[in-house]
Amino acid sequence: MASFQITGGRKLKGELIPQGAKNEALQILCAVLLTKEPVTIHNIPNIRDVNQLIDLLGDLGVWVTKIGEYSYRFVASDVNIDYLESDTYKRKAAALRGSVMLLGPMLARFKKGRIPRPGGDKIGRRRLDTHFLGFEKLGAQFNYDANDGGYYQVDASNLRGTYMLLDEASVTGTANVLMAAVMAEGTTTIYNAACEPYLQQLSKMLNSMGAKISGVGSNLLTIEGVSELTGTEHTMLPDMIEIGSFIGLAAMTQSEITIKNCRIPELGIIPDQFKRLGIQMEFRGDDIFIPAQERYQIETFLDGGMMTVADAPWPGFTPDLLSIVLVTAVQAQGTLLIHQKMFESRLFFVDKLIDMGAQIILCDPHRATVVGLNRQLPLKGIRMSSPDIRAGVALLIAAMSAKGTSIIDNIEQIDRGYQHIDTRLNAIGAEIIRL
């Protein structure tokens, strides 16, 4: 188990280039299984979850060729379906939650699939009902046998288009059902579909491969099934979660940072939510400039009530950034209520922030009230452990703003979602040592 040793109190200055979007990558990479022709993808992030998925595709028989620092070519012309029966597949797929999105493409192209119960962050209950109910609506037949090592076995020999109302606007669930539907016979209508930029990117890529998807960017998708798809070339968006993390980092550490090539129109309300914390920023073309701020003040509602930041399906605020907003509010002037509606364990890292000196009341598994310190007291360095990707980066931000030295254990969680984060931050003035 690796650790970060962080010397706090250093002000950063310089430019940061966001990586490719992790959540988009997991969908886009699974989609290469839909065609036997070459698919070239640019701006793939070099992070653990993505590298594990690329490795899994290679094991399945996909030809993987690296053609640039962040570009790959995939050819799925000779996929070995028998690999799904192996113990190696079970072990690798179970360790990666994104592996569940292999199921949609396999059902579409090979008419069958097999997947173990996937892992991922321990952030509360993350059910798969949306995926499986959607597949069943298309005509797939499921069998789960606990005696078979906990595999979901799926027969999709008669996929047919249909109308479905998703039970929740799940991003991965929508992506999975969408990939299965593009080659189903007839027309599929998906209502209550997620419409995050990741889904829009996946839909645009599939359409460039010959799919017929309309309603892209809305919660009502219509898919006319086609018999086969062709190869394509696709460039991924910059990671909006990393962009938000850098905004919070700049504010907490009183640093002057320019975030390059942000694709600002695709960020939705993310910049506005950070502005509500009092963080100044300038849009310079497609770059975001955050000046060094000694203080920032949380807004109140028009009636003077306490500001609330809550997650919601897109175009609402992404739940992946609530941990970053929470830690950024620690040194703000004012009080903020964080309402995490989607995951019941994602706020359980606040005890580490309290140990560092933050004033936070954990109201229940979904809500926390942050009373900003307004720089009157610095956080103090401690030893702590990263429970999940986003909480890990929130703790890293806290440690970089703290007085003294902190150690964060289990940084493999951070590496799952942020590429070379220590190297990139050290280049602009941080002092992070990987132990």
Side-chain angles (χ1 to χ4, degrees):
M1 183 182 294
S3 303
F4 280 154
Q5 178 180 296
I6 303 106
T7 301
R10 294 187 173 273
K11 296 184 180 181
L12 315 183
K13 186 171 183 177
E15 296 180 346
L16 291 167
I17 300 174
Q19 67 189 29
K22 167 186 178 283
N23 291 340
E24 178 186 341
L26 298 178
Q27 300 174 23
I28 296 298
L29 290 172
C30 292
V32 306
L33 289 173
L34 285 165
T35 179
K36 61 184 179 181
E37 297 185 10
V39 176
T40 302
I41 304 175
H42 304 291
N43 202 27
I44 296 178
N46 182 10
I47 54 177
R48 285 189 66 197
D49 276 14
V50 169
N51 292 337
Q52 286 177 347
L53 184 54
I54 293 173
D55 183 49
L56 193 55
L57 288 170
D59 289 347
L60 272 165
V62 178
W63 289 94
V64 181
T65 306
K66 191 170 185 179
I67 56 175
E69 188 175 6
Y70 301 115
S71 298
Y72 287 81
R73 181 178 293 113
F74 302 88
V75 183
S77 57
D78 191 22
V79 175
N80 178 18
I81 294 297
D82 292 338
Y83 176 70
L84 302 179
E85 308 290 334
S86 69
D87 290 338
T88 304
Y89 169 71
K90 178 184 178 182
R91 174 175 51 82
K92 289 186 175 183
L96 177 66
R97 187 167 185 84
S99 66
V100 72
M101 285 183 289
L102 293 169
L103 206 48
M106 286 193 291
L107 300 184
R109 185 172 165 204
F110 304 107
K111 309 305 179 187
K112 62 180 181 179
R114 182 174 162 91
I115 194 81
R117 290 179 64 90
D121 283 332
K122 306 304 181 186
I123 55 177
R125 187 172 64 99
R126 304 175 76 185
R127 57 193 181 89
L128 297 173
D129 300 49
T130 305
H131 302 247
F132 295 166
L133 291 173
F135 293 145
E136 287 182 330
K137 281 280 190 179
L138 291 171
Q141 296 182 346
F142 268 82
N143 180 43
Y144 176 71
D145 187 355
N147 297 324
D148 186 29
Y151 270 105
Y152 294 98
Q153 192 89 24
V154 195
D155 174 16
S157 51
N158 292 297
L159 289 187
R160 294 184 181 277
T162 186
Y163 167 86
M164 68 180 75
L165 172 65
L166 297 187
D167 66 327
E168 64 175 352
S170 163
V171 176
T172 56
T174 303
N176 223 350
V177 175
L178 176 64
M179 288 188 282
V182 291
M183 294 172 70
E185 183 179 341
T187 300
T188 300
T189 303
I190 305 176
Y191 200 39
N192 195 33
C195 54
E196 272 77 355
Y198 317 127
L199 256 301
Q200 297 177 40
Q201 286 285 98
L202 175 63
S203 298
K204 291 172 184 175
M205 174 181 164
L206 293 174
N207 281 343
S208 72
M209 296 168 70
K212 297 180 179 179
I213 306 168
S214 58
V216 177
S218 75
N219 67 349
L220 178 60
L221 296 176
T222 302
I223 306 103
E224 294 180 36
V226 297
S227 59
E228 62 179 4
L229 297 178
T230 63
T232 192
E233 188 167 354
H234 178 81
T235 299
M236 295 185 0
L237 291 174
D239 196 309
M240 63 183 180
I241 312 304
E242 191 171 71
I243 292 169
S245 302
F246 292 155
I247 294 172
L249 170 67
M252 274 288 278
T253 59
Q254 298 175 282
S255 298
E256 179 183 303
I257 292 175
T258 300
I259 311 171
K260 303 289 290 183
N261 306 323
C262 293
R263 296 286 293 274
I264 293 170
E266 306 292 342
L267 295 177
I269 65 170
I270 290 172
D272 292 333
Q273 289 289 51
F274 282 99
K275 287 179 181 177
R276 293 169 78 185
L277 301 185
I279 299 172
Q280 300 171 16
M281 64 185 78
E282 300 173 19
F283 295 162
R284 297 178 173 178
D286 211 22
D287 302 341
I288 299 177
F289 171 74
I290 302 105
Q293 285 183 249
E294 184 176 347
R295 286 185 169 81
Y296 48 100
Q297 182 172 355
I298 299 170
E299 296 178 0
T300 61
F301 288 117
L302 293 177
D303 63 358
M306 183 194 308
M307 178 60 63
T308 299
V309 175
D311 59 338
W314 192 269
F317 191 60
T318 172
D320 281 345
L321 278 173
L322 279 185
S323 301
I324 307 302
V325 169
L326 187 152
V327 75
T328 304
V330 165
Q331 283 295 4
Q333 179 182 344
T335 305
L336 181 70
L337 175 66
I338 297 289
H339 192 173
Q340 169 61 270
K341 299 177 181 178
M342 296 175 64
F343 303 106
E344 61 267 16
S345 302
R346 213 166 196 173
L347 297 179
F348 286 172
F349 73 100
V350 300
D351 59 326
K352 283 93 168 174
L353 298 178
I354 293 170
D355 289 345
M356 297 178 79
Q359 295 184 347
I360 304 173
I361 301 168
L362 186 61
C363 309
D364 55 46
H366 292 276
R367 296 177 301 161
T369 301
V370 185
V371 181
L373 297 172
N374 193 27
R375 311 277 190 204
Q376 299 302 308
L377 293 170
L379 298 181
K380 62 178 182 293
I382 63 169
R383 185 163 198 148
M384 45 198 160
S385 181
S386 171
D388 64 72
I389 299 174
R390 310 308 174 185
V393 170
L395 295 176
L396 177 61
I397 292 171
M400 292 177 65
S401 72
K403 183 178 181 180
T405 301
S406 297
I407 294 178
I408 302 177
D409 298 318
N410 194 29
I411 59 167
E412 288 83 0
Q413 287 286 352
I414 298 175
D415 289 337
R416 287 179 51 215
Y418 293 79
Q419 70 182 18
H420 311 308
I421 189 69
D422 49 337
T423 305
R424 295 157 71 200
L425 295 179
N426 285 343
I428 60 171
E431 189 174 333
I432 306 169
I433 300 173
R434 185 178 291 260
L435 305 177

